[in-house]
Amino acid sequence: MRKTFFTKYLVRLMLPLLVPLFLLGSFAILISQNYIKKEINNSNERMMEQAKNSVESIFQVSDPIYYTLNLNSRLISSLKLIVRSSNLQPVDTENFVTFMNLLNPAANIKPVVHSIYIYLNNDGGKFLASNEGLTSLETYYDTSWYNFLARIPDDTNVFVESRTVRRFENQDTPLVTVFRKFSSPGSSKPEGYIIMNLKTEGLANMLNGLLYYPHQSLFLLQQNGHKVARSDPDAESDAWITVKERPDLAERFEVAAADSSYKVSYQRSENYGITYVSATPKSYFYQLPIRLVYLTVVLLTISIVLALLLVYYLSKRNYNSLLTIVRTIENGEKGMPVPELPGRVTDEYSYILQRTVKRFMEQRYLQVQLSEKKYKLKTMEMMALQSNINPHFLANTLRTIFWKSMDLTGGHNEVSGMIDHLSEVVQYSISDADKTVSLKEEIYHTNHYIHILNARYRGKFHFSWAYEESLMAFRVMKLLFQPMIENAIYHGIKESNRFGYIKVRLQQKGDMLQIAIIDTGIGMRKERLQQVRNGLLREDSGRHIGIYNTHKRLQLNHGDLFSFAIFSKYGWGTVIRIEIPIQ
């Protein structure tokens, strides 16, 4: 028993303590991981957009030179004379100054720009270089760019390539070179090239300044997927290879590289044929979730140890207290002396023990009271059962009379029809009176009652409904129409001594259901109408019990959210207008 007691306490105390902690840790891990993943994806998009704007703003340094040459065929002709003639004419000298005024500011406007060249095909290999002037492939230190001209595809106007140039011994300068074709106005054939050299180190520093997270990398890839620049030139991650090999990938994917796994995002630039690739170590996504896992495990371990100690202490104390109570009860039943009671109440068990002894002293008196209470309760149950039998007995009896009349007459007749309608009305009235029903169901059962009235007052009135089928699913309280239709018959049509009409019109107005019960009965004089209205406010039904009961039930169901209005004119008829919230 002691082991079972310990187990029950263990389950009751530990599960409420550990389950919320476990669920909280699990949800925290999932939510933080999803949040970090979403935040990194958003930051990568912002970072690549910033990288694209920053890099392309550098590429656009050569735009003034490009547009000047493309829009001025005279300058291109002059450029041809400059690079192909051995001696410059005065006019060519002026144009040469113009070209240098274009090259030098553009090459010096941004620190990342190393130099800018303008090259036209010529036998001497001459070209214009920023801050140098007219030079040639034979004398200038930087000539490796010339070897890349043959690699530029015919359908490519902008081509980017990485290379290294050496001006002084043992001093190599890594460059990213942007080749841009230009042609004379109206000509599709390129006349020459604008070669802009960018410092790879400057580009790397700029890209590195855009990074959001540690160990993240940002790459620039050329048209064929070859890497031309990256944020950290010394890193060895090859995550960019996946974009090179699979250009049809989605803009976000995962890749397992040689050193780690990465979350990769990329964005292409159509203007310059550059692809911007960001690679974030996948482990960064799980740093916070892993820490939360460790924290959750530690907290769970501490909680389990504390819970075990607490359960052991409580189970031992409570077991001994309960054992004393059980022995006290057994000794009292056997007439033996009870164990020694605690001197004062210290916990619930000592309180129970003292109360138990007191209960033994009053045992026989309580048994008599209990027997009497059971007798009274049984009597009340019998009375409640009897009060419920009568309506159901009536409904079952009507159904029996219906079938008996069918047997005696050999088929359906007017009497059996009235009994059938009446049994439906009674059955509907006594079943779950406090529940709501659909308008369709309420109208269906109201029609049973109208059939009975038609049989009783044949040729005295005509009844009609006016509604749209879309309203039939709305919920209303039971027996909403029957009392007011009955009121229209007995106090309106019957007293007028003429053929009358009764119409129930239903329509939707906003979020309210409008109900109008219209009759062409005798109506009410102003004094009587005011009495009925005042009776509703004073809860005094008078002769119009049906109207009062309906108003009271609507008030209990809807509070102040409904309206109930009566309009009447003596000799013309009465209209009852109700508005209730749509359910």
Side-chain angles (χ1 to χ4, degrees):
M1 180 178 178
R2 179 176 296 180
K3 183 177 180 181
T4 304
F5 202 74
F6 176 81
T7 304
K8 289 182 179 179
Y9 261 84
L10 187 65
V11 172
R12 291 176 182 176
L13 291 178
M14 287 190 66
L15 286 180
L17 179 67
L18 299 181
V19 171
L21 183 60
F22 176 76
L23 293 177
L24 179 62
S26 301
F27 282 124
I29 292 169
L30 292 175
I31 292 173
S32 62
Q33 183 175 349
N34 290 333
Y35 174 79
I36 292 173
K37 184 182 295 185
K38 181 179 179 181
E39 189 66 23
I40 289 179
N41 288 333
N42 292 337
S43 63
N44 281 344
E45 291 181 2
R46 293 193 300 268
M47 177 187 66
M48 287 189 291
E49 190 65 31
Q50 292 175 359
K52 179 181 177 182
N53 294 334
S54 300
V55 172
E56 293 190 2
S57 68
I58 297 175
F59 287 178
Q60 290 167 1
V61 166
S62 64
D63 283 358
I65 304 172
Y66 172 77
Y67 291 117
T68 299
L69 292 174
N70 264 12
L71 296 175
N72 196 326
S73 58
R74 183 181 61 80
L75 284 178
I76 294 179
S77 300
S78 178
L79 180 60
K80 292 178 181 179
L81 292 175
I82 291 173
V83 299
R84 294 174 182 173
S85 300
S86 56
N87 297 317
L88 295 181
Q89 301 297 322
V91 175
D92 297 330
T93 302
E94 293 179 4
N95 290 330
F96 172 77
V97 173
T98 301
F99 285 120
M100 296 310 298
N101 288 337
L102 283 173
L103 287 177
N104 291 336
N108 299 319
I109 194 171
K110 290 183 179 291
V112 72
V113 179
H114 177 271
S115 56
I116 302 177
Y117 309 147
I118 300 178
Y119 174 76
L120 277 172
N121 292 324
N122 62 94
D123 296 335
K126 295 181 180 180
F127 61 95
L128 296 180
S130 59
N131 300 318
E132 295 288 343
L134 182 63
T135 184
S136 68
L137 297 173
E138 295 179 355
T139 59
Y140 198 58
Y141 73 94
D142 179 17
T143 59
S144 62
W145 57 267
Y146 181 78
N147 300 326
F148 291 99
L149 297 181
R151 303 181 188 177
I152 302 176
D154 294 337
D155 57 349
T156 300
N157 290 325
V158 180
F159 186 76
V160 182
E161 187 58 84
S162 60
R163 61 192 185 90
T164 302
V165 63
R166 174 177 293 184
R167 184 164 191 174
F168 304 103
E169 188 176 359
N170 299 326
Q171 186 177 350
D172 292 337
T173 303
L175 298 177
V176 174
T177 302
V178 182
F179 298 88
R180 196 168 186 178
K181 298 177 181 179
F182 66 87
S183 57
S184 298
S187 174
S188 59
K189 184 178 180 180
E191 298 282 351
Y193 300 87
I194 301 172
I195 299 97
M196 182 170 63
N197 301 302
L198 307 177
K199 300 174 185 177
T200 302
E201 183 180 359
L203 277 178
N205 293 334
M206 183 190 69
L207 296 177
N208 194 56
L210 298 174
L211 299 179
Y212 284 85
Y213 305 105
H215 309 295
Q216 192 177 31
S217 298
L218 185 61
F219 307 94
L220 296 185
L221 310 183
Q222 64 172 199
Q223 290 89 335
N224 60 4
H226 181 66
K227 179 175 60 178
V228 295
R230 63 171 298 160
S231 56
D232 184 6
D234 298 327
E236 298 297 332
S237 171
D238 292 330
W240 60 276
I241 294 178
T242 302
V243 179
K244 173 184 176 183
E245 295 175 347
R246 298 172 61 187
D248 58 334
L249 282 170
E251 292 184 357
R252 296 175 186 170
F253 56 92
E254 295 183 9
V255 56
D259 54 345
S260 179
S261 295
Y262 293 87
K263 292 278 188 177
V264 179
S265 302
Y266 74 92
Q267 188 178 87
R268 301 188 190 278
S269 171
E270 300 299 334
N271 294 333
Y272 296 97
I274 294 293
T275 300
Y276 303 86
V277 182
S278 70
T280 306
K282 194 175 178 181
S283 57
Y284 187 80
F285 286 77
Y286 302 103
Q287 287 183 359
L288 181 59
I290 289 174
R291 292 177 184 174
L292 290 175
V293 170
Y294 290 154
L295 179 61
T296 303
V297 171
V298 171
L299 291 178
L300 281 173
T301 304
I302 295 174
S303 300
I304 290 173
V305 173
L306 293 177
L308 288 173
L309 295 176
L310 180 63
V311 168
Y312 176 77
Y313 169 74
L314 291 177
S315 62
K316 182 179 180 181
R317 188 197 68 174
N318 295 341
Y319 175 78
N320 293 332
S321 299
L322 285 176
L323 186 61
T324 303
I325 293 175
V326 170
R327 289 175 179 173
T328 301
I329 295 174
E330 290 176 348
N331 292 347
E333 290 177 347
K334 296 176 182 179
M336 299 171 60
V338 298
E340 184 179 354
L341 299 178
R344 59 189 180 89
V345 176
T346 57
D347 55 21
E348 64 273 16
Y349 293 101
S350 59
Y351 174 79
I352 293 173
L353 193 58
Q354 290 189 356
R355 299 297 296 177
T356 300
V357 174
K358 182 179 179 181
R359 291 305 179 198
F360 275 124
M361 296 170 60
E362 302 170 347
Q363 183 176 8
R364 291 193 176 276
Y365 175 73
L366 292 176
Q367 287 179 346
V368 173
Q369 282 191 330
L370 183 60
S371 299
E372 183 179 356
K373 186 175 180 180
K374 286 183 178 179
Y375 173 76
K376 290 181 178 180
L377 182 60
K378 191 67 175 178
T379 303
M380 293 174 64
E381 289 177 351
M382 293 296 293
M383 293 175 63
L385 181 60
Q386 183 180 2
S387 65
N388 285 329
I389 286 175
N390 292 332
H392 290 284
F393 176 76
L394 175 59
N396 293 333
T397 302
L398 286 172
R399 181 57 58 184
T400 302
I401 295 173
F402 167 74
W403 289 112
K404 190 66 176 177
S405 66
M406 292 280 286
D407 289 340
L408 293 175
T409 59
H412 193 72
N413 55 74
E414 187 175 1
V415 174
S416 65
M418 290 184 65
I419 295 173
D420 186 26
H421 290 305
L422 181 57
S423 65
E424 290 286 345
V425 171
V426 172
Q427 188 68 37
Y428 182 62
S429 301
I430 65 176
S431 62
D432 294 332
D434 58 341
K435 79 169 187 177
T436 61
V437 296
S438 65
L439 267 176
K440 183 177 181 179
E441 185 177 353
E442 176 67 12
I443 291 172
Y444 172 78
H445 288 285
T446 304
N447 284 332
H448 284 296
Y449 179 70
I450 293 170
H451 281 300
I452 297 173
L453 294 178
N454 275 325
R456 183 176 179 185
Y457 300 100
R458 189 183 304 277
K460 295 293 185 180
F461 72 93
H462 173 76
F463 181 87
S464 63
W465 296 94
Y467 57 81
E468 295 181 359
E469 287 297 326
S470 59
L471 306 178
M472 292 299 96
F474 294 163
R475 309 289 294 184
V476 296
M477 68 180 191
K478 289 181 61 175
L479 301 176
L480 175 61
F481 304 120
Q482 179 178 326
M484 291 178 289
I485 295 174
E486 181 180 1
N487 189 80
I489 294 290
Y490 283 98
H491 300 290
I493 303 299
K494 183 179 177 182
E495 295 184 7
S496 68
N497 294 322
R498 66 174 185 267
F499 187 85
Y501 293 88
I502 301 175
K503 183 176 183 178
V504 179
R505 185 177 65 229
L506 310 172
Q507 59 185 3
Q508 181 180 358
K509 183 179 180 182
D511 56 353
M512 303 293 287
L513 176 65
Q514 287 188 341
I515 304 171
I517 298 93
I518 309 164
D519 70 74
T520 60
I522 195 171
M524 291 182 282
R525 300 183 188 275
K526 291 183 179 180
E527 297 79 7
R528 179 56 185 161
L529 177 60
Q530 192 60 41
Q531 289 177 1
V532 174
R533 290 174 175 173
N534 293 337
L536 294 177
L537 299 177
R538 298 193 307 266
E539 299 187 355
D540 179 13
S541 61
R543 294 189 301 127
H544 298 273
I545 298 176
I547 294 179
Y548 167 75
N549 285 344
T550 302
H551 180 271
K552 187 64 177 178
R553 289 169 61 220
L554 287 170
Q555 193 176 52
L556 292 173
N557 275 278
H558 302 290
D560 297 331
L561 300 179
F562 82 104
S563 63
F564 192 103
I566 305 175
F567 307 93
S568 186
K569 185 175 182 180
Y570 186 74
W572 289 82
T574 303
V575 177
I576 298 177
R577 185 174 297 161
I578 302 170
E579 285 192 2
I580 58 176
I582 290 176
Q583 299 182 12

